[in-house]
Amino acid sequence: MKKHLGGFCDLGFAKIDTDRINRRGFPEVVFAQGKTLTQLKEIARTFIVSNHPLILTRINQEQYKFLKKIYPKLKLNPLGKIAYLTKNNIKKIGNVLIITAGTSDIPIAEEAAVTLEIMGNNVTRLYDVGVAGVHRVLDKKELLRKANCIIVVAGMEGALASLVSGLVSSPVIGVPTSCGYGANFGGLSSLLTMLNSCSPGVVVVNIDNGFGAGYFASLVNKGQKG
Amino acid sequence: MKKHLGGFCDLGFAKIDTDRINRRGFPEVVFAQGKTLTQLKEIARTFIVSNHPLILTRINQEQYKFLKKIYPKLKLNPLGKIAYLTKNNIKKIGNVLIITAGTSDIPIAEEAAVTLEIMGNNVTRLYDVGVAGVHRVLDKKELLRKANCIIVVAGMEGALASLVSGLVSSPVIGVPTSCGYGANFGGLSSLLTMLNSCSPGVVVVNIDNGFGAGYFASLVNKGQKG
Amino acid sequence: MKKHLGGFCDLGFAKIDTDRINRRGFPEVVFAQGKTLTQLKEIARTFIVSNHPLILTRINQEQYKFLKKIYPKLKLNPLGKIAYLTKNNIKKIGNVLIITAGTSDIPIAEEAAVTLEIMGNNVTRLYDVGVAGVHRVLDKKELLRKANCIIVVAGMEGALASLVSGLVSSPVIGVPTSCGYGANFGGLSSLLTMLNSCSPGVVVVNIDNGFGAGYFASLVNKGQKG
Amino acid sequence: MKKHLGGFCDLGFAKIDTDRINRRGFPEVVFAQGKTLTQLKEIARTFIVSNHPLILTRINQEQYKFLKKIYPKLKLNPLGKIAYLTKNNIKKIGNVLIITAGTSDIPIAEEAAVTLEIMGNNVTRLYDVGVAGVHRVLDKKELLRKANCIIVVAGMEGALASLVSGLVSSPVIGVPTSCGYGANFGGLSSLLTMLNSCSPGVVVVNIDNGFGAGYFASLVNKGQKG
Amino acid sequence: MKKHLGGFCDLGFAKIDTDRINRRGFPEVVFAQGKTLTQLKEIARTFIVSNHPLILTRINQEQYKFLKKIYPKLKLNPLGKIAYLTKNNIKKIGNVLIITAGTSDIPIAEEAAVTLEIMGNNVTRLYDVGVAGVHRVLDKKELLRKANCIIVVAGMEGALASLVSGLVSSPVIGVPTSCGYGANFGGLSSLLTMLNSCSPGVVVVNIDNGFGAGYFASLVNKGQKG
Amino acid sequence: MKKHLGGFCDLGFAKIDTDRINRRGFPEVVFAQGKTLTQLKEIARTFIVSNHPLILTRINQEQYKFLKKIYPKLKLNPLGKIAYLTKNNIKKIGNVLIITAGTSDIPIAEEAAVTLEIMGNNVTRLYDVGVAGVHRVLDKKELLRKANCIIVVAGMEGALASLVSGLVSSPVIGVPTSCGYGANFGGLSSLLTMLNSCSPGVVVVNIDNGFGAGYFASLVNKGQKG
Amino acid sequence: MKKHLGGFCDLGFAKIDTDRINRRGFPEVVFAQGKTLTQLKEIARTFIVSNHPLILTRINQEQYKFLKKIYPKLKLNPLGKIAYLTKNNIKKIGNVLIITAGTSDIPIAEEAAVTLEIMGNNVTRLYDVGVAGVHRVLDKKELLRKANCIIVVAGMEGALASLVSGLVSSPVIGVPTSCGYGANFGGLSSLLTMLNSCSPGVVVVNIDNGFGAGYFASLVNKGQKG
Amino acid sequence: MKKHLGGFCDLGFAKIDTDRINRRGFPEVVFAQGKTLTQLKEIARTFIVSNHPLILTRINQEQYKFLKKIYPKLKLNPLGKIAYLTKNNIKKIGNVLIITAGTSDIPIAEEAAVTLEIMGNNVTRLYDVGVAGVHRVLDKKELLRKANCIIVVAGMEGALASLVSGLVSSPVIGVPTSCGYGANFGGLSSLLTMLNSCSPGVVVVNIDNGFGAGYFASLVNKGQKG
């Protein structure tokens, strides 16, 4: 019962936004979490048939293996839980720096990193440089200054976003994570920290939303180079 | 007891970050709210003497009148509550669009607008086009598409940020406002709405933080044109 | 120890409200979640013996299979998790439109849909038309306008309810869902969005309460046709 | 700088939704709270010139007196804080019952009542019948049963909405109010009570949102009679 | 390393309050949840040796079976999850009525009931009489009036406590339960409802705290008869 | 438009529950806060005419002076903000002890004390004995043990209720107060403390609800002596 | 009705803990906020008569002027809102460093500073060195390292406590302040930040509790020197 | 890809802060929770090679067994979930007392205790002396007074910290735990209690943060003896 009308493809349970690439410069990305295998199969086919790149975030092992059988070229970033089937030779431009406060924040950072790479951005990673040992990030000022845009991924108290922002002239995107326990309240502490940043130049996305940070950073980075 | 060492000017009660313009490309901006007249006078003098532009956010009438007597050239945007004393002929570039959902959101929008203009950006205003009458914003698609960066200022349910983002390829900065009542909880409803946006390309600043949104938008807009 | 007195049937652990059909026009509906198999068996028998339609919401597979053996005609909507044993030929009237923002909201939408159908209402489904691609819902204005009542089911930022309400003259019932993560806080973001709607004509039920929305919509739709 | 294009009238600081009466069957209503006298004057003129009824909610004494001088026929419901200038002889139909739990809830109830009356509905008032003395509402079963739609306005624990709903076949709209203190948390307790109603047939609007409840009730009541 | 000094018995990991029966009229009751089998064995022995009644709340199957082997006379109320080894012929006095709003609230009600019975109180049970069908509780006014003290156990909106209190002269103890979903927030809605009761004569214990309600009711009931 | 039917007196804006004394053993008490002078005058007359004691809680100076002119015998407890006009020679029985943690909690304690005295209970006051100096309350064990019922009024961390309860065999009613600042969150900290008491025998009323605590304590104290 | 028994002085409305100096090494300190002039006069006299130092926190102008007339030697720190009458020549030892993130945090810092000075500690002040310009605090490493104990006072995102702790071997006491707006929620953001510090060696006191931080720091600093 | 530069060792996914022992007097401690076995192996090797003591908090059985095979001398405190490989003969000094309110708080207390012992402090344990039987802690005043620093670990209402603080002159560190249920909200009640302590001399760490409390207590205790 597929129908292509008015800029979307109607699968009944989903309306694939086939117009998005024209409107927004990048096709729809599929949020795999909670979708059935059958739903994913139908959605995937729609993208492939339309010749759109297929990107699935928050995919689990079972979902990935199922689709991998159908589309053997489907790739996976296991840390970032993103699967994708895109043209091979996309040219990467610019420079986005992704920083984490701790080791536990890396999966969310990788979600951002893969998103950026698929969208054609160069990515630099700087992991585990939280404020408990501030010399680690101060030691990398050169990296900080060379970035067009910086993503800071941090759980617990999330203080790193303000600190980094205070050192650079580029825009900083804060990603609070749910890493921590107790009065962390599932990422609330880090979220509030970043929202209340005393350093201008910081914006925030949802807790654990590496994809959203990567997507936004791509808009900023590519705009600067376009 | 003023001391200029190590990149800041020490007034005792304040350490003016005189190095910021080198490090970040723009000087420190003064948060006037809660500061005494004496403190403001000393801070203002430090900026003037250092030949830095003086910008004061969240300034009230009493504070403005006091400083106006000392610096007659000090200007005020009364809606945005920003006073400034800057060089006259800064060239404005690019294009940032500021949208509000309602009339009550305009003061926060103006805080963003003045910030952008002082920082050298062209600003377009599109006010009172909330989702209760979506044809008002759809009617302005041309404006939306011409912007390098869009700021959406909205209280109550804050739904406008997602909607606008879904129509454009440029980055969207959401500013939740405290306009509303009851289960708005001082802007919490709008804040959560924007953080949970289903549309990639939206980031968020603190509730009522027009200045922060304007500052960040300037980084994006000027990067794109630089 | 069953007793039929004063408008209810006393099973000890439950008092079946046998008077409800007189008082409210529709019999009691059983919330199956958390009830033991023995409790469900006794409750079901009471309904069957009283010649009332038997409807069980939030039923799980084990509960359904157990009752299905006893009452082979018991039907199940597996997505909506509603089992029911009702007269076959109830006439359906009017028109209630059920809209979801995303694919993950469909189970809650189906809970509403089955409730409406059992109560004798025509239902139209329009799924996955969230504000990230607003053209999908604008494309269906005809469907929107033909409905007597509209149910909007949405998680994440829940912005769709306000938008739809702004397009129609019929009443809109918002169902926030717990779909999302991070600052969604189990549906709180969507709930607050809908409660703070800037568009008059929107009311809200509990998070994930598809049954409640369907029940209320039936009252509205049937009133309009009665 | 007024412009009438695309279904709205552009005042710069406001875009009056002149198309709303066609689209939704009722014109835009003005939320006066927080608007300046100048803004209100311009908005009012737009409505009058367009020959639309003018309705202003949450208006304060100063605002009312200012507009009253310009439009001497402007009427005020002082409890409900609604001012209006409408055609005199609108025919009222149907029957909406408005119930309050306490005396302090009456201003919100009156906001709903005036809204309903302006929109052409008959209103019955039943005030101060909270659950601490349930005989008061049970004594009025006749009133309850004659209503097409019932609005229950309650602060504190807000229990009245469920109770009333359990007695009737008509839809019930709950309006939590901020009346109370301590763990009432500005109306949160009453809001949560109504959202968690164990009685199907109850929906909820924002805390203290009498206007929203009245507007929605009008859609239900007039649908039933149309 | 057991030591009996200063009114308690020191087991290292626990200090059994052996003086409590003198001070408070009833011995310490053991909160079994989270304790290891070894800890429970040592604690149980201390009570038995001291000739105190042994009562364990929130005991799970594994814990019960383990202790049952050692103390074959240990009894269990499986719904209320209380195990106890007390003298057989305690005389019961007075009359405490325990009411639940729904069937799912019964386990918490049974925790209260067993506590009361062990402490020597007569208990009457009235289950599943929530406000969605208020005739069920109004039908039992005789039961309500005969009680010295009433415990109302209710989840979801928890409205029953206020209603019952409004009908009687005896004190009412509200026990909010975590039964419900969505905006119930783990029992918060019911807790706030009961705390904000408009009916004087209602007090509240922690969410799901059947034991606490039973204990307090015993103090009230036995005082009245003492 | 006064009507005496069905156990209440209908003033339109209020339905005085004239049956309450029969049903509950004590007449309705008027919550003065937020009521207009006219409303209070009409309500007061209804009570006087019906020969019921008149009790008004949370009354302010203006309200009291207004009613005092009409009823010169009206008395006031200025700390507790309760005005009352009752028969002079009510016999007081039993013994309720009211304890506060600090000096700032006294107004709420006095609200409870006056309520108890009007209802015919002997009251003992023990003020400012919080846990920062626990010897102060331990020094008064004799007072604690002689009470039939104890009310503990405490803001800040509210720890006193648990401590007192652990020393006595009588029931303890905790009244959290809003005294404090910062993470006190308007009394939330004290409320949660008392709800989570590790000492059985503690129940809780709303924040700052001295009246409710006094009312409940009267039921307990008089039951014990009746 | 003053009584000196059992280690306290009973004023009725207050029980002065005269034993505290023996038990805890420092006398009771009076929380002036909310106390009446009469209460303060009686309390002050008790201290003076007992030859104890008199210290009053959160004192307002009216209270201070009233007591100043009676005790002309009473001193005031107007920023910290502490009045005190102590022996002149207390010897100060050790070194406590007090740091603020911003200028607005100074009043809370001064509350801590005066407390420390009265208790006999040397205090060093380092104000306005928040993370937006981290070079300001890094420039003062010498000051940081020389302190026995550091108090960090910060509102907004409160990130400074973790950063400072990561640089030193001395214990850090975080004081979140309510400075900020929007999602600061009265200091909650800063409080959560400090509680979730990724740097070991940080503890936290209540929002705006400068006195508590000063008191605790004195225990640490003097212990180290004792 | 290990690199030792600028005071840290760069493993890519982690930057081990090898400078910390110089800067802070104690090396970095590894938070094992959420780390992979491979990550732990690499991190452990870095510590061993650098001749630093290896300490891992929140380690689970699988992680411990894996590392135990590689480093057979690795020890485990199973209750406190801390594994460590340190020099055997560290001299212990001073005296830190660790108190718990209940038996369920012991695991968190042990986390603090092991931390203290590894850092070279004498520890005294006093478990299960909560305020429900205050004689248990009053009986141990000698222990309280001999401590240089006291850690109070308490869930539920967390009242013990204030009480203990009121008895001693040494500093008290409160550790709220998540033990409890219902309105405990994962430790929030205990956290707020301790933050609002009316007794000066109490500071707080994160919920369940035994390690942080132990670390801070070591700084205090060793300072006092150094």
Side-chain angles (χ1 to χ4, degrees), chain E residues 24 173 203-206 209 212-213 215-217 219, chain F residues 150 152 158-166 168 170-175 193-205, chain H residues 157:
Chain E
R24 308 204 55 190
I173 301 163
V203 293
V204 189
V205 295
N206 194 4
N209 188 5
Y215 190 100
F216 191 91
L219 299 185
Chain F
I150 300 175
V152 176
L160 193 60
S162 292
L163 182 95
V164 166
S165 165
V168 300
S170 53
V172 170
I173 301 164
V175 188
T193 300
M194 292 180 179
L195 284 169
N196 285 282
S197 178
C198 60
S199 172
V202 179
V203 294
V204 189
V205 296
Chain H
E157 86 268 59

Side-chain angles (χ1 to χ4, degrees), chain F residues 110-125:
Chain F
E110 283 298 310
E111 192 184 66
V114 186
T115 302
L116 277 159
E117 287 166 348
I118 293 170
M119 292 177 79
N121 304 272
N122 290 310
V123 172
T124 309
R125 288 156 170 91

Side-chain angles (χ1 to χ4, degrees), chain A residues 132 157 159 162 183-184 189 193 196 198, chain G residues 157 159 162 166 183-184 189 193 196 198:
Chain A
E157 85 269 60
S162 292
N184 169 285
S189 64
T193 301
N196 285 282
C198 59
Chain G
E157 85 267 62
S162 292
N184 169 284
S189 64
T193 301
N196 285 282
C198 60

Side-chain angles (χ1 to χ4, degrees), chain D residues 157 159 162 166 183-184 189 193 196 198, chain E residues 132 157 159 162 183-184 189 193 196 198:
Chain D
E157 84 269 60
S162 292
N184 170 284
S189 64
T193 301
N196 285 282
C198 60
Chain E
E157 86 268 60
S162 292
N184 169 285
S189 63
T193 301
N196 285 282
C198 59

Side-chain angles (χ1 to χ4, degrees), chain A residues 119-209:
Chain A
M119 292 177 80
N121 304 273
N122 290 310
V123 172
T124 308
R125 290 158 169 89
L126 178 58
Y127 290 166
D128 191 31
V129 294
V131 296
V134 75
H135 59 297
R136 295 176 298 188
V137 72
L138 295 177
D139 188 73
K140 305 285 185 184
K141 277 187 185 165
E142 206 47 38
L143 278 186
L144 298 184
R145 289 196 181 133
K146 287 196 314 204
N148 288 329
C149 179
I150 299 176
I151 294 174
V152 177
V153 184
M156 294 177 145
E157 85 269 60
L160 192 59
S162 292
L163 182 96
V164 166
S165 164
L167 298 169
V168 299
S169 62
S170 53
V172 171
I173 301 164
V175 188
T177 75
S178 53
C179 297
Y181 60 89
N184 169 285
F185 296 125
L188 179 66
S189 64
S190 182
L191 172 64
L192 294 183
T193 301
M194 291 180 180
L195 284 169
N196 285 282
S197 179
C198 59
S199 173
V202 179
V203 293
V204 189
V205 295
N206 194 6
I207 297 162
D208 292 336
N209 188 6

Side-chain angles (χ1 to χ4, degrees), chain D residues 16-53:
Chain D
I16 309 299
D17 184 356
T18 50
D19 174 59
R20 195 173 295 186
I21 197 156
N22 303 320
R23 212 166 68 241
R24 308 204 54 191
F26 199 77
E28 190 171 348
V29 169
V30 182
F31 186 69
Q33 185 179 299
K35 293 210 168 61
T36 65
L37 297 181
T38 312
Q39 288 174 339
L40 286 177
K41 190 169 88 176
E42 282 200 56
I43 289 170
R45 187 167 42 199
T46 307
F47 277 81
I48 301 300
V49 164
S50 314
N51 211 20
H52 279 143

Side-chain angles (χ1 to χ4, degrees), chain G residues 119-134:
Chain G
M119 292 178 81
N121 304 273
N122 291 310
V123 173
T124 309
R125 288 156 170 90
L126 177 60
Y127 289 168
D128 192 31
V129 293
V131 296
V134 74

Side-chain angles (χ1 to χ4, degrees), chain G residues 91-149:
Chain G
K91 194 188 149 210
K92 291 192 190 117
I93 63 172
N95 180 19
V96 177
L97 175 64
I98 305 182
I99 305 177
T100 75
T103 297
S104 308
D105 301 314
I106 292 177
I108 302 303
E110 283 298 310
E111 192 184 67
V114 186
T115 302
L116 277 159
E117 287 165 348
I118 294 170
M119 292 178 81
N121 304 273
N122 291 310
V123 173
T124 309
R125 288 156 170 90
L126 177 60
Y127 289 168
D128 192 31
V129 293
V131 296
V134 74
H135 60 297
R136 295 176 298 187
V137 71
L138 294 177
D139 189 73
K140 303 287 185 182
K141 277 188 184 162
E142 206 46 37
L143 277 186
L144 299 184
R145 290 198 181 131
K146 286 195 316 203
N148 287 329
C149 180

